[in-house]
Amino acid sequence: MTAPPDPDHATACMTRAFGDGAARARLEAPIDGAINRTFPASLDGMRYALRLRVNEENFRYEKGIAKSALVGAIHAAKRAGLSDRDAARAKPDGAAPPHAPALVYWSHGDDLWRLPWEIARWCPGAALGAPESAPDDDAYARAAGAIADIHAIGFEGGVPDLLSLDGPKTDFAAWIGAAIERELARGPLEARIEGYARAILRAATGDVRWTLVHNDLHGLHLILDPANGDVAVIDWDNALVGPAELDFVKLKHWTRVDPATGHLAGDARAYDAIARAYVARTGRPLNADVFRACEALWLLRVWRFESERRAAGKPTPRLFAGPEIYRDELDRLARAA
């Protein structure tokens, strides 16, 4: 495995983006996430986030792609009224995803760093889910508005990933079914949990509205700017085409950081405030059956992801609980079904 990027890598990336003036950049201590290392950087009075992908071994989405640039291009194409097929051919031109910070530079991997990396403007403010923040109902309504804007763009059907937009489309039952079956095929599960997942598959019928979904939407990815009240949405690596309900699963389970454990956890009041404001904004209630299927898929995925990380001897990032909590939640849902 390649060693994670160090300040020398970060300095080289800043120089490529900003030229010799990058010598004036001040790098801060890196922030490690599940698949990226982020270097906050200041240059000429502006602050930036340099994100370098560290590994793609357990990454389930498009490999070798600077995702913000891809999402920005597809979103711009769809806003212009293009078909899915034509949107799939859109070339990144610097557009950022909706409500994301401005994109300054990106690479799908090069001589400086072999995996994708990007530089974006830093989002001022605090995450709605940070333990020190105290967002009110207006802040949650603004977050709901940002999510509604993301979901405002419709697509023609389900696809495995954003690189498959010009391919055949599936309905929701086939889309969720294929995804859950992939998780079930990764190894044996307890009979009750597998039975619950298969019951979810049998119930996953009906039409959905296919939208752009962030697919990693939790309280630390929603940033409130106190200067103007805007809410920014960061970290778009997992984005895909899916039902809107998918974006509410992580918000339910990872709404805020629990000060007692230091882990992202559910906060029913905050989640309900966002969900109610979203429904009021869009006029579209969340479909309980679709949500339940998306929740089962996510719990299976995060359980597998964290279990594989532990088996490989890698520590769970400090903000996240270990795999047991997701297995226990699946078991709770299975017992209640």
Side-chain angles (χ1 to χ4, degrees):
M1 180 186 297
T2 304
D6 59 27
D8 289 340
H9 292 108
T11 299
C13 291
M14 291 291 289
T15 300
R16 178 151 296 173
F18 295 102
D20 293 340
R24 299 187 300 274
R26 182 174 63 85
L27 297 176
E28 301 174 26
I31 303 166
D32 287 326
I35 64 165
N36 294 295
R37 170 169 282 187
T38 298
F39 288 87
S42 299
L43 176 63
D44 296 337
M46 302 296 294
R47 201 158 182 240
Y48 301 92
L50 165 61
R51 301 175 74 240
L52 300 101
R53 193 168 296 170
V54 174
N55 73 81
E56 294 184 324
E57 295 171 8
N58 302 114
F59 188 51
R60 285 177 167 82
Y61 304 97
E62 301 89 346
K63 300 180 189 296
I65 296 293
K67 195 65 173 284
S68 292
L70 175 65
V71 174
I74 290 172
H75 183 261
K78 292 298 294 183
R79 280 183 63 90
L82 272 63
S83 67
D84 285 7
R85 181 177 294 275
D86 288 339
R89 299 169 181 155
K91 301 298 183 184
D93 61 359
H99 290 275
L103 195 58
V104 176
Y105 193 94
W106 73 93
S107 170
H108 298 312
D110 51 37
D111 58 308
L112 299 182
W113 187 248
R114 66 181 182 84
L115 296 176
W117 59 276
E118 64 184 43
I119 301 174
R121 291 283 298 276
W122 188 268
C123 286
L128 268 65
E132 67 276 10
S133 68
D136 56 18
D137 284 349
D138 180 64
Y140 290 134
R142 289 175 181 270
I147 298 168
D149 287 346
I150 292 168
H151 294 168
I153 300 299
F155 290 82
E156 297 158 17
V159 290
D161 54 55
L162 291 182
L163 297 179
S164 305
L165 265 184
D166 58 350
K169 305 297 192 293
T170 64
D171 62 13
F172 179 64
W175 183 84
I176 197 76
I180 289 181
E181 287 289 0
R182 281 195 296 271
E183 298 307 317
L184 295 177
R186 295 170 72 87
L189 296 171
E190 296 172 40
R192 181 167 49 245
I193 293 176
E194 181 168 349
Y196 174 69
R198 294 200 179 281
I200 287 290
L201 290 181
R202 291 192 293 273
T205 59
D207 294 330
V208 302
R209 181 176 180 274
W210 296 98
T211 73
L212 175 66
V213 292
H214 180 278
N215 194 33
D216 196 13
L217 203 59
H218 57 67
L220 297 184
H221 287 165
L222 295 167
I223 312 297
L224 176 66
D225 185 344
N228 55 25
D230 289 345
V231 171
V233 183
I234 63 172
D235 292 7
W236 284 81
D237 295 293
N238 294 3
L240 47 74
V241 172
E245 286 79 4
L246 184 60
D247 266 344
F248 285 85
V249 172
K250 284 189 183 180
L251 274 177
K252 174 187 172 182
H253 291 274
W254 288 351
T255 326
R256 292 179 59 82
V257 174
D258 182 350
T261 64
H263 297 153
L264 278 162
D267 182 320
R269 195 201 75 80
Y271 171 77
D272 288 345
I274 296 172
R276 284 197 308 271
Y278 176 88
V279 172
R281 172 74 175 262
T282 62
R284 294 190 299 270
L286 297 173
N287 183 303
D289 290 334
V290 173
F291 180 91
R292 192 176 299 113
C294 292
E295 183 179 40
L297 172 61
W298 177 71
L299 287 168
L300 283 168
R301 279 180 169 171
V302 71
W303 179 21
R304 297 288 201 194
F305 183 86
E306 293 298 345
S307 297
E308 291 169 2
R309 192 207 304 269
R310 177 175 291 178
K314 302 173 184 176
T316 300
R318 62 184 177 82
L319 291 168
F320 300 93
E324 303 84 6
I325 193 170
Y326 310 110
R327 179 265 171 208
D328 291 347
E329 180 63 12
L330 274 168
D331 188 63
R332 186 190 71 78
L333 291 172
R335 289 177 181 274

